[in-house]
Amino acid sequence: MSIEDTEAGLVRGFLGTAFGDAEPPLRDLASGSIARGDRARRRVRWYTAGGTVLAAVAVVGTFALTAGNGGAGVPTPGASATPKPVPKLVPKPVPPDPAVGNQGANTRPVDATAKTEDVQMRLPGLLQPLLPAGIGIQVAPAGYSAMNSNNFLLTGPTGTTQLSAAGGRLDWSASDDRHIGCLQAGGCDVRGVSGGTVYVNDSVLTANAQVVNLPSGSLRPGTEKTVVARDVWMTFIPADRSKPYLQFREATSVAPVPFVAKAPAGWTGQSWPPALIAPGMQQASDPHGVAISADAFAALAVAPGIAEVESVLDPYTPASQSAVTAQTDRNSQITALLAPVLPKGVTASVTADLSGVAPGSVLLTGASGQNMLGMTTMKQDAGLQHMMANCPSGLLRCDRRRVSGGQLVVWVQEPTDSNLHPTANKANNFQYMFAPDDTSKPAVEFSLTTNWMSSAIADPLITLDDFVTATANPHLADIVSEARALAAKR
């Protein structure tokens, strides 16, 4: 990855409040559909209002510019060069059991994150017998690019597809059925089936749309209309509206982007063609398209056994006790791992809502409120050194200082509107980076957002002095790697 790409990723992620509506140079899968659906504030949400978008799956991810709500971009990760002093802590295995509690109208899950855990634990086993022959399902490994924490991987004879699923009570009127089923850009196929109606909202991403912000001449002539990805929503609405609906979203890459062999005029990056996903990441790919056809979905939606699937997906059905226990164990382990480098009294936990931040981020809770913390380790390559030597934007307050054993760089940002005008005189983003003098050791980055999912700006739970203290811990990089992996585990 080039210096420009690395720096751009960090700046784009860090300045999420300022650049939230900007187009990245490389569009992720169905980015227009995702934005359009999100703005409508409907579809797959664990909360009835202002909740988590479960359905936003980005298969063809944009690594160079990761948009976020003030979260840090993800530079090239580097393995720790020091021995592993922290034992790996794995959540205790607990067998899944039936969901506990009763459904109640207009209620929310007690813990949306535990509900997410519950779906991940139970859905593959319930859905597998109902899938077409030859199609397997699993929770997507952490190495797969995704914009949500509830993401599944379908594997068939010709490739893979990423899947998000939703189900539960119909909380909209019949007049909105078509709008719900076909909100996204693309075609709308309405099919009457036994017991209800299936809506198929199929869209494609062309090579030209993928490189809309790259210099002219980035694609081989005549390949502009090449379909490189498919994104299909399929929704079953039962005729009996007392019964639950079912919705699948499948997304996959179907062809590589046909870049020209030589970088076009105007390209400022150091490498060509540009990377579509982060090093070490994977993306679903199947040249034949999505794994579950519309006909197969229509049959599955009314198959015996689907009621159990819909019950697990229903956001009003409380999570199983097994999921609650597993989630509690994981949070305890993450807090224990980070305790040596966090201020006293600050705890860490995973959260269902990680939209816009890097996998492995954690929610910090302390006396003054909550912050979202993104953390990573990075190889000390030329790109990192260039980034640390320069303040990337006039919107930031930048500072660098010598500390014991290395150099520390701090970027601080106040919130801005879409015109880059400050909206508060209190900072809401703090990015701390520590590079050891021994360049064979990885650098460590903490990125703190103090108004996560809120308009109120809390105080930073990790101050600069706190981070300086953390850099004195010789096992900081190992602790971060362990905690991040545990938090990112699906």
Side-chain angles (χ1 to χ4, degrees), residues 30-242:
S31 57
S33 296
I34 291 170
R36 189 169 170 230
D38 290 353
R39 281 193 290 269
R41 300 191 66 77
R42 72 102 183 95
R43 288 219 175 197
V44 191
R45 296 182 181 266
W46 285 130
Y47 292 138
T48 55
T52 302
V53 180
L54 173 64
V57 179
V59 176
V60 184
T62 302
F63 177 64
L65 296 179
T66 304
N69 185 18
V74 187
T76 306
S80 172
T82 57
K84 294 283 185 183
V86 183
K88 290 188 176 182
L89 298 176
V90 181
K92 299 175 183 178
V94 286
D97 54 24
V100 297
N102 297 319
Q103 296 185 29
N106 299 319
T107 61
R108 298 178 181 181
V110 174
D111 185 339
T113 307
K115 180 65 176 178
T116 300
E117 181 88 15
D118 190 36
V119 174
Q120 292 177 171
M121 290 172 63
R122 300 170 62 198
L123 184 66
L126 292 173
L127 196 54
Q128 182 64 74
L130 308 179
L131 293 176
I135 304 297
I137 182 172
Q138 68 181 102
V139 175
Y144 276 78
S145 172
M147 291 178 65
N148 60 296
S149 58
N150 226 12
N151 201 28
F152 300 91
L153 186 70
L154 299 177
T155 302
T158 58
T160 54
T161 299
Q162 282 181 263
L163 171 78
S164 285
R169 68 192 63 183
L170 290 166
D171 55 2
W172 61 84
S173 66
S175 61
D176 288 328
D177 285 353
R178 183 184 177 93
H179 178 69
I180 294 294
C182 293
L183 176 68
Q184 311 303 314
C188 185
D189 180 14
V190 183
R191 305 180 177 202
V193 298
S194 175
T197 305
V198 168
Y199 295 85
V200 181
N201 190 180
D202 193 348
S203 64
V204 299
L205 183 71
T206 64
N208 195 52
Q210 173 75 355
V211 301
V212 64
N213 290 335
L214 291 183
S216 176
S218 294
L219 299 175
R220 297 197 300 267
T223 65
E224 293 81 5
K225 294 184 179 180
T226 299
V227 174
V228 297
R230 284 192 63 197
D231 182 32
V232 184
W233 296 80
M234 295 179 287
T235 308
F236 171 71
I237 307 293
D240 180 352
R241 301 188 73 83
S242 68

Side-chain angles (χ1 to χ4, degrees), residues 6-31:
T6 301
E7 184 172 273
L10 288 169
V11 175
R12 173 57 182 255
F14 190 54
L15 302 182
T17 54
F19 298 96
D21 294 328
E23 281 282 351
L26 294 169
R27 302 181 67 189
D28 60 16
L29 177 63
S31 57

Side-chain angles (χ1 to χ4, degrees), residues 116-403:
T116 300
E117 181 88 15
D118 190 36
V119 174
Q120 292 177 171
M121 290 172 63
R122 300 170 62 198
L123 184 66
L126 292 173
L127 196 54
Q128 182 64 74
L130 308 179
L131 293 176
I135 304 297
I137 182 172
Q138 68 181 102
V139 175
Y144 276 78
S145 172
M147 291 178 65
N148 60 296
S149 58
N150 226 12
N151 201 28
F152 300 91
L153 186 70
L154 299 177
T155 302
T158 58
T160 54
T161 299
Q162 282 181 263
L163 171 78
S164 285
R169 68 192 63 183
L170 290 166
D171 55 2
W172 61 84
S173 66
S175 61
D176 288 328
D177 285 353
R178 183 184 177 93
H179 178 69
I180 294 294
C182 293
L183 176 68
Q184 311 303 314
C188 185
D189 180 14
V190 183
R191 305 180 177 202
V193 298
S194 175
T197 305
V198 168
Y199 295 85
V200 181
N201 190 180
D202 193 348
S203 64
V204 299
L205 183 71
T206 64
N208 195 52
Q210 173 75 355
V211 301
V212 64
N213 290 335
L214 291 183
S216 176
S218 294
L219 299 175
R220 297 197 300 267
T223 65
E224 293 81 5
K225 294 184 179 180
T226 299
V227 174
V228 297
R230 284 192 63 197
D231 182 32
V232 184
W233 296 80
M234 295 179 287
T235 308
F236 171 71
I237 307 293
D240 180 352
R241 301 188 73 83
S242 68
K243 295 182 179 180
Y245 77 97
L246 182 69
Q247 183 180 74
F248 283 2
R249 182 185 186 182
E250 291 186 80
T252 191
S253 170
V254 296
V257 177
F259 290 113
V260 292
K262 184 179 179 181
W267 172 246
T268 59
Q270 291 189 347
S271 61
W272 183 265
L276 297 179
I277 59 174
M281 297 292 285
Q282 301 178 65
Q283 64 183 27
S285 178
D286 191 329
H288 293 276
V290 298
I292 303 174
S293 67
D295 289 340
F297 174 78
L300 181 148
V302 295
I306 197 62
E308 290 183 82
V309 172
E310 292 164 334
S311 177
V312 169
L313 291 171
D314 187 346
Y316 299 103
T317 302
S320 69
Q321 187 58 54
S322 295
V324 173
T325 300
Q327 195 62 38
T328 300
D329 286 349
R330 181 159 63 150
N331 288 340
S332 296
Q333 293 170 39
I334 292 171
T335 294
L337 281 169
L338 291 175
V341 297
L342 290 181
K344 186 177 180 179
V346 175
T347 60
S349 61
V350 294
T351 174
D353 199 334
L354 286 177
S355 53
V357 300
S361 298
V362 295
L363 186 66
L364 301 182
T365 301
S368 62
Q370 292 185 318
N371 297 172
M372 179 60 71
L373 173 65
M375 51 189 172
T376 191
T377 60
M378 301 163 284
K379 291 181 180 178
Q380 292 201 61
D381 55 15
L384 177 68
Q385 294 168 10
H386 173 84
M387 177 188 66
M388 293 191 68
N390 296 276
C391 188
S393 170
L395 293 171
L396 304 178
R397 298 200 306 271
C398 302
D399 184 27
R400 56 185 54 84
R401 64 171 66 180
R402 290 289 308 170
V403 296

